[in-house]
Amino acid sequence: MPPRSPFRQLITAYAVYLPLQIAVLALMRAIAPRFFWFDDSEAQFGPAWWWLGRTAHGGIPALMDPDLGVAGAFTVDIQYGALDPLHWIVQAIISHSDDYLTVSWIVAGISMLVLGTGVVALAWHLRAHLWLVVGAAIGVATGGFLMWFGSAWWPMLWSVGWLVWFWFGLSTRTAVGAIAAGVGLTGVLASGNPYLIPFAVLVFVVEIVQRRRAYGSWRSVLTHAEVLGRALACVGGALVAAPTLLTLVGSTSVLERPTPSGILANTGFAVPNLLDAALGGATLTGELNAWGGAVAPVMALSTAIFAVPLLAFVDWPRAVRLRGVPTALALVAVALLATQLPAVIGGFRVPLRYVVVAQTALPILAAVAVSGARRVTRGRIILAGSLVAGQVLLAAFRSPRLVEWHIVGGLVTAAVVIAAMALLARNGRWRVAAAVLLVLGTASTWFIQERAMVSLETTADRQGVGTSSVDGAPYRLLRSAQPATGVTEQSYRERSILTDTSVTVLDWTASPDRGWETGVMEGNGNLLAGLKPGFGSLAIGQKDYQRHVCEDYLGLQCGGPADSGAALLEREPLTGETWLDLTSQDRIVLAQDAPAAIRAYLDEEWTLTDESSEWRFYERNDELPGRITWAAAGVTIASKFASGPAYVGQPMDEYTVTASDGGAVVLAVPFWPGITATLDGRNMPVSTLDGAIVEIDLPAGTEAGRLEVAYAPIGVRVLIPAVLIGALAVIAGAGLIVFARARRLRLSEERRERRAAERGEPTAPSRLTVLISQLLRFLWSACAGLGVDLGLYALLTHLGVEAGLSNVISSGAAVVVLYLLITRYTFGQQATVLTFALFVGWYVLSISVFSLIIQWGVDGLGLHPLVSKAASLPLSFLANFLFGRLLFARFARPRAGADPEGGSETDAALEEPLRPSSGQTP
């Protein structure tokens, strides 16, 4: 194996990759500006992510908006990341733009840079050749499936990079790796792409098995600091993602897909040919069973073009012993096999999605294996050439119309492979030219594919088969014939029939332009104009609600124009009202081609207020306010009310109700586990009408009571503690690794000092070692103090002590514990009354100052209290640490047996369990 690249080579690799990736993105935008604002990204994810960022309270987005019907349950559909801090950051960034093409390129750019940067770090760490590191990063970040389908399905585009970072974090032994593992695991689990979760488990298993091989025994693995640190960081990452997953799991009792297809079924939909998935190629369109009928899919089966041919030059008996190769092999093999799974396994569909994992791991495998176990023979050269020729031939078989582009792709692939082998041969004469050819050739793949699809589009236009794409989006299977729509907030507002309001829109007919001409967009597009039409993009449905108000994935009424509307006009037994009345807002916008029975009913029972060529506008005739659509006799509701989205710690509905003899009210709110109600602060039971919408029974004697309806599923209830404790666990995991390394360094210095003392030379501990050791000990002490604070506070409040008094007691106890720990453990000093008084005085001042800063963040900057608190932690930690150093430097009374870095003489004994077994390399 070649010697590991120095850190400066990592900097060099990234310095080449970053501007190249930015240049690729810039050229892509110039050539195809709508590439990432297309199909689902335009109708579902783009509008929802933008709106969640725009309407966030204190940095945390809305949890639910019933004015969007079932589609408004943003926490249940994990693709929106409503409970994921990583999503919050992206949503906050894009919410500042009114240009949706810019929004789409920001999301794409962040996602591709997260992925490419992770590949650079991982491939470099696994000792791949410098230029293969760059080639793998740019090739993976512009991979076929990632580009051509991830551009529409943002959760997949966003998620893949976090799997790479998780892999990197587990494969390294540094504190940075622990943080990468924790954050990467959060990204995978809360990304909204559950298809990657099994592969994260696979990475963990393979990496831990490799650790066992390196350390010689499971005992050594389980007691080594770097393993324990990573495990703690992974636990922290899982805790941060837990609210997202817990909310989904807690809602499974009422979930169903909009188009259920059983638990296990194989319709053949999106199951690729295994040879296509394995061999790939720059221009391979692939064979996908039952995908789009006779329409050829796009070139989604490509990855870094050198990856497959370079495998011919790997000496596999040597390669499988290289670090990272077993993990990459496992990922590639399992992902390719997964593409052959049945089309439906529970909630998992479209096996083609798994190919993105193979496309990510394969270039890393090729780069690492050929760099560390290269073998060149005549037979292997012939094999590599045969693989390139096979890719071209297979692509030509799949789409013969594009044969000239297949040849171009094959020639570029061959040139890149030759350049890679020249670099590996260390031929200095052609090194610069080979490096340029490798990285530019790899980066050219998307542009070759785009030109090929444009040529196909041109041919289709000439033949008049109607497959022209919108301006700036090259032809592809999904919505290829869609006319252009607006791309700015102003254009959507001008086009929408209504803005900044909530209504119920009933439409049965799909539009070829996603509703642009009619003024009511499909899916979530109406959010871009502030219109909440009672529907949105639907990936997960509420099964009981769907029986009465059946909507498809775009929000259209089921059954199409032939539907009779009978389900909506069915009367609910308890109330005697139709489901149309019970589930609608106070205004209905009805399509002119709606079923005759629906139109006749609304003409008779509602008031027609306006009409256009496309729509009829109705208003309800009762005086019930807000989302209340029925109230029992004798129940009155004041006209003043508040109604809006649900946020953390805030009700979504507030009413003043009177029910002298008791009675029930019904709200047009789809029922989800976690919906709660209070009457004057007292919890009220929440029931449902046939499991579909919310019903609340009011007790007798209610006089002008304040009724509040909120949404707080289990994930929301644990959100703040899970994020805080999870983040602390990630930091603590990293701190454990740094602390263990500092301890080893200290022991090494002690041995050096003893040898120097034996020679009569003066010795002194490294000031950097002392500082690092004290800093890490202070971090551990602060975490312990926080644990005491939170634990005691939770215990006291559980026992009924008031929150304010509980906080005083728990904070006081935490300060005492912290003082004792940092006195003895961090700075190696004796506790005195003077230092304790000064310490408490400082913390009173520090807490007061940072409380003002946190409050300013909430009031002045509009941050959520949790976000403001988290932002203040690094500054407060640094200030408190510096004060501790100054305090004990000024009033130093070293404890007997203490060393200059703090701690005790027995610390050295604690190091032994952290070392691998004898004869093993850590």
Side-chain angles (χ1 to χ4, degrees), residues 801-821:
V801 181
E802 293 184 356
L805 180 58
S806 298
N807 184 62
V808 171
I809 297 173
S810 63
S811 298
V815 169
V816 173
V817 170
L818 181 60
Y819 171 77
L820 295 175
L821 284 175

Side-chain angles (χ1 to χ4, degrees), residues 517-540:
E517 287 299 321
T518 65
V520 176
M521 314 305 160
E522 295 175 355
N524 294 328
N526 298 287
L527 292 174
L528 301 176
L531 173 62
K532 301 175 186 178
F535 67 81
S537 294
L538 204 60
I540 295 178

